[in-house]
PDB file of all heavy atoms in Angstrom:
ATOM      1  N   ALA A 925      -1.784 -10.148 -31.029  1.00  0.00           N
ATOM      2  CA  ALA A 925      -3.066  -9.574 -31.423  1.00  0.00           C
ATOM      3  C   ALA A 925      -3.479 -10.024 -32.818  1.00  0.00           C
ATOM      4  O   ALA A 925      -4.665 -10.271 -33.080  1.00  0.00           O
ATOM      5  CB  ALA A 925      -2.998  -8.054 -31.357  1.00  0.00           C
ATOM      6  N   LYS A 926      -2.509 -10.142 -33.726  1.00  0.00           N
ATOM      7  CA  LYS A 926      -2.836 -10.484 -35.113  1.00  0.00           C
ATOM      8  C   LYS A 926      -3.221 -11.950 -35.296  1.00  0.00           C
ATOM      9  O   LYS A 926      -4.022 -12.279 -36.177  1.00  0.00           O
ATOM     10  CB  LYS A 926      -1.634 -10.164 -36.004  1.00  0.00           C
ATOM     11  CG  LYS A 926      -1.369  -8.677 -36.210  1.00  0.00           C
ATOM     12  CD  LYS A 926      -2.401  -8.053 -37.116  1.00  0.00           C
ATOM     13  CE  LYS A 926      -2.045  -6.621 -37.462  1.00  0.00           C
ATOM     14  NZ  LYS A 926      -3.058  -6.008 -38.363  1.00  0.00           N
ATOM     15  N   THR A 927      -2.655 -12.818 -34.490  1.00  0.00           N
ATOM     16  CA  THR A 927      -2.846 -14.254 -34.751  1.00  0.00           C
ATOM     17  C   THR A 927      -3.744 -14.958 -33.746  1.00  0.00           C
ATOM     18  O   THR A 927      -4.390 -15.956 -34.103  1.00  0.00           O
ATOM     19  CB  THR A 927      -1.481 -14.967 -34.765  1.00  0.00           C
ATOM     20  OG1 THR A 927      -0.828 -14.756 -33.497  1.00  0.00           O
ATOM     21  CG2 THR A 927      -0.605 -14.436 -35.880  1.00  0.00           C
ATOM     22  N   LEU A 928      -3.825 -14.493 -32.517  1.00  0.00           N
ATOM     23  CA  LEU A 928      -4.516 -15.242 -31.482  1.00  0.00           C
ATOM     24  C   LEU A 928      -5.723 -14.533 -30.889  1.00  0.00           C
ATOM     25  O   LEU A 928      -6.684 -15.189 -30.476  1.00  0.00           O
ATOM     26  CB  LEU A 928      -3.536 -15.608 -30.348  1.00  0.00           C
ATOM     27  CG  LEU A 928      -2.379 -16.514 -30.744  1.00  0.00           C
ATOM     28  CD1 LEU A 928      -1.422 -16.707 -29.578  1.00  0.00           C
ATOM     29  CD2 LEU A 928      -2.909 -17.864 -31.218  1.00  0.00           C
ATOM     30  N   MET A 929      -5.696 -13.221 -30.815  1.00  0.00           N
ATOM     31  CA  MET A 929      -6.852 -12.517 -30.263  1.00  0.00           C
ATOM     32  C   MET A 929      -7.980 -12.470 -31.291  1.00  0.00           C
ATOM     33  O   MET A 929      -7.733 -12.429 -32.491  1.00  0.00           O
ATOM     34  CB  MET A 929      -6.459 -11.103 -29.862  1.00  0.00           C
ATOM     35  CG  MET A 929      -5.494 -11.036 -28.698  1.00  0.00           C
ATOM     36  SD  MET A 929      -5.187  -9.325 -28.211  1.00  0.00           S
ATOM     37  CE  MET A 929      -3.928  -9.584 -26.942  1.00  0.00           C
ATOM     38  N   PRO A 930      -9.234 -12.469 -30.824  1.00  0.00           N
ATOM     39  CA  PRO A 930     -10.367 -12.409 -31.766  1.00  0.00           C
ATOM     40  C   PRO A 930     -10.291 -11.185 -32.652  1.00  0.00           C
ATOM     41  O   PRO A 930      -9.931 -10.095 -32.197  1.00  0.00           O
ATOM     42  CB  PRO A 930     -11.587 -12.358 -30.831  1.00  0.00           C
ATOM     43  CG  PRO A 930     -11.131 -12.986 -29.560  1.00  0.00           C
ATOM     44  CD  PRO A 930      -9.686 -12.610 -29.424  1.00  0.00           C
ATOM     45  N   ASP A 931     -10.657 -11.359 -33.940  1.00  0.00           N
ATOM     46  CA  ASP A 931     -10.566 -10.257 -34.886  1.00  0.00           C
ATOM     47  C   ASP A 931     -11.905  -9.928 -35.536  1.00  0.00           C
ATOM     48  O   ASP A 931     -11.953  -9.268 -36.562  1.00  0.00           O
ATOM     49  CB  ASP A 931      -9.541 -10.581 -35.976  1.00  0.00           C
ATOM     50  CG  ASP A 931      -9.975 -11.746 -36.843  1.00  0.00           C
ATOM     51  OD1 ASP A 931     -10.800 -12.566 -36.366  1.00  0.00           O
ATOM     52  OD2 ASP A 931      -9.499 -11.849 -37.988  1.00  0.00           O
ATOM     53  N   HIS A 932     -12.998 -10.417 -34.949  1.00  0.00           N
ATOM     54  CA  HIS A 932     -14.306 -10.149 -35.537  1.00  0.00           C
ATOM     55  C   HIS A 932     -14.722  -8.706 -35.248  1.00  0.00           C
ATOM     56  O   HIS A 932     -14.363  -8.127 -34.225  1.00  0.00           O
ATOM     57  CB  HIS A 932     -15.350 -11.116 -34.986  1.00  0.00           C
ATOM     58  CG  HIS A 932     -15.425 -11.118 -33.487  1.00  0.00           C
ATOM     59  ND1 HIS A 932     -14.617 -11.916 -32.702  1.00  0.00           N
ATOM     60  CD2 HIS A 932     -16.206 -10.395 -32.635  1.00  0.00           C
ATOM     61  CE1 HIS A 932     -14.889 -11.693 -31.423  1.00  0.00           C
ATOM     62  NE2 HIS A 932     -15.850 -10.781 -31.354  1.00  0.00           N
ATOM     63  N   GLU A 933     -15.494  -8.134 -36.189  1.00  0.00           N
ATOM     64  CA  GLU A 933     -15.963  -6.773 -36.045  1.00  0.00           C
ATOM     65  C   GLU A 933     -17.328  -6.770 -35.360  1.00  0.00           C
ATOM     66  O   GLU A 933     -18.158  -7.658 -35.563  1.00  0.00           O
ATOM     67  CB  GLU A 933     -16.071  -6.094 -37.411  1.00  0.00           C
ATOM     68  CG  GLU A 933     -14.733  -5.955 -38.122  1.00  0.00           C
ATOM     69  CD  GLU A 933     -14.872  -5.230 -39.436  1.00  0.00           C
ATOM     70  OE1 GLU A 933     -15.983  -4.749 -39.731  1.00  0.00           O
ATOM     71  OE2 GLU A 933     -13.885  -5.145 -40.176  1.00  0.00           O
ATOM     72  N   VAL A 934     -17.544  -5.749 -34.548  1.00  0.00           N
ATOM     73  CA  VAL A 934     -18.814  -5.614 -33.841  1.00  0.00           C
ATOM     74  C   VAL A 934     -19.298  -4.179 -33.983  1.00  0.00           C
ATOM     75  O   VAL A 934     -18.516  -3.255 -34.227  1.00  0.00           O
ATOM     76  CB  VAL A 934     -18.666  -5.967 -32.342  1.00  0.00           C
ATOM     77  CG1 VAL A 934     -18.289  -7.422 -32.164  1.00  0.00           C
ATOM     78  CG2 VAL A 934     -17.640  -5.072 -31.667  1.00  0.00           C
ATOM     79  N   THR A 935     -20.600  -3.993 -33.865  1.00  0.00           N
ATOM     80  CA  THR A 935     -21.200  -2.663 -33.836  1.00  0.00           C
ATOM     81  C   THR A 935     -21.941  -2.497 -32.528  1.00  0.00           C
ATOM     82  O   THR A 935     -22.438  -3.474 -31.953  1.00  0.00           O
ATOM     83  CB  THR A 935     -22.172  -2.467 -35.012  1.00  0.00           C
ATOM     84  OG1 THR A 935     -23.217  -3.448 -34.933  1.00  0.00           O
ATOM     85  CG2 THR A 935     -21.437  -2.589 -36.336  1.00  0.00           C
ATOM     86  N   GLU A 936     -22.015  -1.278 -32.073  1.00  0.00           N
ATOM     87  CA  GLU A 936     -22.694  -1.003 -30.808  1.00  0.00           C
ATOM     88  C   GLU A 936     -23.497   0.277 -30.959  1.00  0.00           C
ATOM     89  O   GLU A 936     -22.963   1.319 -31.364  1.00  0.00           O
ATOM     90  CB  GLU A 936     -21.672  -0.846 -29.672  1.00  0.00           C
ATOM     91  CG  GLU A 936     -22.312  -0.594 -28.315  1.00  0.00           C
ATOM     92  CD  GLU A 936     -21.269  -0.464 -27.218  1.00  0.00           C
ATOM     93  OE1 GLU A 936     -20.071  -0.565 -27.539  1.00  0.00           O
ATOM     94  OE2 GLU A 936     -21.651  -0.250 -26.057  1.00  0.00           O
ATOM     95  N   ASP A 937     -24.787   0.211 -30.679  1.00  0.00           N
ATOM     96  CA  ASP A 937     -25.638   1.387 -30.765  1.00  0.00           C
ATOM     97  C   ASP A 937     -25.376   2.318 -29.590  1.00  0.00           C
ATOM     98  O   ASP A 937     -25.029   1.874 -28.484  1.00  0.00           O
ATOM     99  CB  ASP A 937     -27.112   0.974 -30.774  1.00  0.00           C
ATOM    100  CG  ASP A 937     -27.472   0.199 -32.032  1.00  0.00           C
ATOM    101  OD1 ASP A 937     -26.816   0.441 -33.064  1.00  0.00           O
ATOM    102  OD2 ASP A 937     -28.387  -0.649 -31.974  1.00  0.00           O
ATOM    103  N   ARG A 938     -25.510   3.599 -29.844  1.00  0.00           N
ATOM    104  CA  ARG A 938     -25.360   4.578 -28.771  1.00  0.00           C
ATOM    105  C   ARG A 938     -26.480   4.399 -27.754  1.00  0.00           C
ATOM    106  O   ARG A 938     -27.640   4.139 -28.111  1.00  0.00           O
ATOM    107  CB  ARG A 938     -25.386   5.987 -29.366  1.00  0.00           C
ATOM    108  CG  ARG A 938     -25.074   7.077 -28.352  1.00  0.00           C
ATOM    109  CD  ARG A 938     -25.161   8.438 -29.019  1.00  0.00           C
ATOM    110  NE  ARG A 938     -24.186   8.556 -30.075  1.00  0.00           N
ATOM    111  CZ  ARG A 938     -22.935   8.925 -29.893  1.00  0.00           C
ATOM    112  NH1 ARG A 938     -22.496   9.173 -28.660  1.00  0.00           N
ATOM    113  NH2 ARG A 938     -22.115   9.024 -30.903  1.00  0.00           N
ATOM    114  N   HIS A 939     -26.153   4.515 -26.507  1.00  0.00           N
ATOM    115  CA  HIS A 939     -27.145   4.330 -25.452  1.00  0.00           C
ATOM    116  C   HIS A 939     -27.009   5.455 -24.429  1.00  0.00           C
ATOM    117  O   HIS A 939     -26.013   6.177 -24.405  1.00  0.00           O
ATOM    118  CB  HIS A 939     -26.965   2.979 -24.765  1.00  0.00           C
ATOM    119  CG  HIS A 939     -25.600   2.768 -24.198  1.00  0.00           C
ATOM    120  ND1 HIS A 939     -24.539   2.326 -24.957  1.00  0.00           N
ATOM    121  CD2 HIS A 939     -25.113   2.980 -22.944  1.00  0.00           C
ATOM    122  CE1 HIS A 939     -23.454   2.252 -24.209  1.00  0.00           C
ATOM    123  NE2 HIS A 939     -23.769   2.653 -22.982  1.00  0.00           N
ATOM    124  N   ASP A 940     -27.998   5.586 -23.608  1.00  0.00           N
ATOM    125  CA  ASP A 940     -27.973   6.604 -22.569  1.00  0.00           C
ATOM    126  C   ASP A 940     -26.899   6.286 -21.546  1.00  0.00           C
ATOM    127  O   ASP A 940     -26.616   5.119 -21.249  1.00  0.00           O
ATOM    128  CB  ASP A 940     -29.334   6.689 -21.857  1.00  0.00           C
ATOM    129  CG  ASP A 940     -30.430   7.151 -22.802  1.00  0.00           C
ATOM    130  OD1 ASP A 940     -30.093   7.839 -23.787  1.00  0.00           O
ATOM    131  OD2 ASP A 940     -31.602   6.800 -22.551  1.00  0.00           O
ATOM    132  N   ILE A 941     -26.310   7.346 -21.009  1.00  0.00           N
ATOM    133  CA  ILE A 941     -25.239   7.182 -20.025  1.00  0.00           C
ATOM    134  C   ILE A 941     -25.859   7.039 -18.643  1.00  0.00           C
ATOM    135  O   ILE A 941     -26.573   7.932 -18.174  1.00  0.00           O
ATOM    136  CB  ILE A 941     -24.270   8.375 -20.067  1.00  0.00           C
ATOM    137  CG1 ILE A 941     -23.615   8.467 -21.449  1.00  0.00           C
ATOM    138  CG2 ILE A 941     -23.235   8.271 -18.964  1.00  0.00           C
ATOM    139  CD1 ILE A 941     -22.689   9.655 -21.595  1.00  0.00           C
ATOM    140  N   ARG A 942     -25.594   5.921 -18.032  1.00  0.00           N
ATOM    141  CA  ARG A 942     -26.034   5.695 -16.658  1.00  0.00           C
ATOM    142  C   ARG A 942     -24.820   5.256 -15.844  1.00  0.00           C
ATOM    143  O   ARG A 942     -24.166   4.293 -16.192  1.00  0.00           O
ATOM    144  CB  ARG A 942     -27.121   4.618 -16.586  1.00  0.00           C
ATOM    145  CG  ARG A 942     -28.399   4.978 -17.329  1.00  0.00           C
ATOM    146  CD  ARG A 942     -29.466   3.905 -17.143  1.00  0.00           C
ATOM    147  NE  ARG A 942     -30.701   4.239 -17.809  1.00  0.00           N
ATOM    148  CZ  ARG A 942     -30.983   3.895 -19.064  1.00  0.00           C
ATOM    149  NH1 ARG A 942     -30.103   3.211 -19.773  1.00  0.00           N
ATOM    150  NH2 ARG A 942     -32.130   4.250 -19.605  1.00  0.00           N
ATOM    151  N   PRO A 943     -24.486   5.967 -14.789  1.00  0.00           N
ATOM    152  CA  PRO A 943     -23.256   5.666 -14.025  1.00  0.00           C
ATOM    153  C   PRO A 943     -23.129   4.201 -13.631  1.00  0.00           C
ATOM    154  O   PRO A 943     -22.084   3.591 -13.818  1.00  0.00           O
ATOM    155  CB  PRO A 943     -23.369   6.578 -12.806  1.00  0.00           C
ATOM    156  CG  PRO A 943     -24.235   7.719 -13.261  1.00  0.00           C
ATOM    157  CD  PRO A 943     -25.205   7.114 -14.232  1.00  0.00           C
ATOM    158  N   GLU A 944     -24.183   3.603 -13.112  1.00  0.00           N
ATOM    159  CA  GLU A 944     -24.082   2.223 -12.657  1.00  0.00           C
ATOM    160  C   GLU A 944     -23.902   1.283 -13.838  1.00  0.00           C
ATOM    161  O   GLU A 944     -23.087   0.348 -13.797  1.00  0.00           O
ATOM    162  CB  GLU A 944     -25.334   1.846 -11.866  1.00  0.00           C
ATOM    163  CG  GLU A 944     -25.339   0.413 -11.337  1.00  0.00           C
ATOM    164  CD  GLU A 944     -24.181   0.136 -10.387  1.00  0.00           C
ATOM    165  OE1 GLU A 944     -23.698   1.109  -9.765  1.00  0.00           O
ATOM    166  OE2 GLU A 944     -23.755  -1.032 -10.271  1.00  0.00           O
ATOM    167  N   SER A 945     -24.642   1.537 -14.898  1.00  0.00           N
ATOM    168  CA  SER A 945     -24.487   0.672 -16.074  1.00  0.00           C
ATOM    169  C   SER A 945     -23.118   0.858 -16.712  1.00  0.00           C
ATOM    170  O   SER A 945     -22.534  -0.087 -17.251  1.00  0.00           O
ATOM    171  CB  SER A 945     -25.589   0.973 -17.088  1.00  0.00           C
ATOM    172  OG  SER A 945     -25.495   2.317 -17.546  1.00  0.00           O
ATOM    173  N   ASP A 946     -22.592   2.086 -16.654  1.00  0.00           N
ATOM    174  CA  ASP A 946     -21.249   2.314 -17.185  1.00  0.00           C
ATOM    175  C   ASP A 946     -20.220   1.504 -16.413  1.00  0.00           C
ATOM    176  O   ASP A 946     -19.291   0.938 -16.999  1.00  0.00           O
ATOM    177  CB  ASP A 946     -20.896   3.797 -17.104  1.00  0.00           C
ATOM    178  CG  ASP A 946     -21.639   4.619 -18.150  1.00  0.00           C
ATOM    179  OD1 ASP A 946     -22.252   3.996 -19.040  1.00  0.00           O
ATOM    180  OD2 ASP A 946     -21.600   5.855 -18.062  1.00  0.00           O
ATOM    181  N   ARG A 947     -20.382   1.473 -15.098  1.00  0.00           N
ATOM    182  CA  ARG A 947     -19.443   0.683 -14.293  1.00  0.00           C
ATOM    183  C   ARG A 947     -19.538  -0.789 -14.653  1.00  0.00           C
ATOM    184  O   ARG A 947     -18.513  -1.476 -14.790  1.00  0.00           O
ATOM    185  CB  ARG A 947     -19.754   0.890 -12.807  1.00  0.00           C
ATOM    186  CG  ARG A 947     -18.755   0.205 -11.874  1.00  0.00           C
ATOM    187  CD  ARG A 947     -19.253   0.206 -10.454  1.00  0.00           C
ATOM    188  NE  ARG A 947     -20.435  -0.602 -10.318  1.00  0.00           N
ATOM    189  CZ  ARG A 947     -20.419  -1.952 -10.239  1.00  0.00           C
ATOM    190  NH1 ARG A 947     -19.269  -2.595 -10.310  1.00  0.00           N
ATOM    191  NH2 ARG A 947     -21.522  -2.625 -10.123  1.00  0.00           N
ATOM    192  N   GLN A 948     -20.760  -1.271 -14.802  1.00  0.00           N
ATOM    193  CA  GLN A 948     -20.940  -2.683 -15.157  1.00  0.00           C
ATOM    194  C   GLN A 948     -20.391  -2.973 -16.555  1.00  0.00           C
ATOM    195  O   GLN A 948     -19.780  -4.019 -16.784  1.00  0.00           O
ATOM    196  CB  GLN A 948     -22.422  -3.050 -15.070  1.00  0.00           C
ATOM    197  CG  GLN A 948     -22.997  -2.964 -13.659  1.00  0.00           C
ATOM    198  CD  GLN A 948     -24.481  -3.213 -13.626  1.00  0.00           C
ATOM    199  OE1 GLN A 948     -25.126  -3.376 -14.669  1.00  0.00           O
ATOM    200  NE2 GLN A 948     -25.048  -3.260 -12.416  1.00  0.00           N
TER     201      GLN A 948
END
Side-chain angles (χ1 to χ4, degrees):
K926 289 288 187 180
T927 58
L928 297 175
M929 293 184 185
D931 66 337
H932 55 273
E933 297 182 6
V934 296
T935 60
E936 182 179 0
D937 294 332
R938 187 182 298 275
H939 56 277
D940 295 335
I941 299 177
R942 297 184 178 90
E944 180 61 26
S945 62
D946 286 349
R947 185 191 66 79
Q948 295 175 356

